[in-house]
Amino acid sequence: MSLRFAVCDDDQDYARYIEGLAADWAKAAGTALEIERFPSAQAFLFRYEERRDFDVLLLDIEMEPMDGLELAGKLRMRGDDSRLVFITAHQQYAVDAYEVHPFHYLVKPVDSEKLETVLLQLCDSLHRERGRAVI
């Protein structure tokens, strides 16, 4: 089974860093992984209208003009049930973030071990939901 991740962060260097960590994890776990990177919430929504097939969204909160919390709210209002992992430098958004039912909330800088733990938990969750092995 293949997993589809989206990384949405206006800091493209950090987005590439997260993408690299996820790709390294997938390779080590033997998981087929496709990752798309988006520089803004608007860019993600434009692509999302074409194909709504992401399993996981690794999402920054503080972006302009639409922040990650607003994007997550729009997705949930549309019935999207993809797993949301907020990755942000701002801990103060954690309480607000849980209103959109994220899978996890990580504070930058994210290290590879912490992200790996979250991704393993995600795979376990998807496995239980789908009733078959993800990794």
Side-chain angles (χ1 to χ4, degrees), residues 56-61 69 72 76 82-88 93-108 110 113-122 125:
V56 177
L57 178 55
L58 302 168
L59 179 62
D60 187 21
I61 291 181
L69 291 173
R76 293 303 191 229
S82 51
R83 303 302 195 274
L84 300 175
V85 177
F86 287 111
I87 301 175
T88 185
Y93 296 122
V95 173
D96 293 336
Y98 282 95
E99 291 181 20
V100 293
H101 309 289
F103 186 82
H104 213 290
Y105 188 100
L106 297 171
V107 178
K108 292 177 181 177
V110 175
E113 290 178 14
K114 183 62 178 174
L115 185 60
E116 179 179 313
T117 298
V118 170
L119 295 179
L120 287 170
Q121 292 170 351
L122 274 165
S125 172

Side-chain angles (χ1 to χ4, degrees), residues 12-88:
Q12 288 301 286
D13 289 335
Y14 205 80
R16 278 189 290 278
Y17 169 72
I18 294 297
E19 180 181 17
L21 291 180
D24 290 347
W25 165 81
K27 185 176 180 181
T31 299
L33 178 63
E34 295 177 52
I35 304 173
E36 285 188 56
R37 201 176 41 216
F38 301 91
S40 68
Q42 294 84 345
F44 174 82
L45 283 174
F46 183 78
R47 163 59 176 74
Y48 182 80
E49 291 304 321
E50 296 172 0
R51 285 179 53 198
R52 300 176 180 200
D53 61 349
F54 291 104
D55 299 299
V56 177
L57 178 55
L58 302 168
L59 179 62
D60 187 21
I61 291 181
E62 200 163 74
M63 297 183 287
E64 293 290 335
M66 181 190 308
D67 68 31
L69 291 173
E70 185 179 349
L71 171 59
K74 287 179 182 290
L75 294 174
R76 293 303 191 229
M77 286 177 40
R78 294 175 182 186
D80 185 277
D81 64 351
S82 51
R83 303 302 195 274
L84 300 175
V85 177
F86 287 111
I87 301 175
T88 185

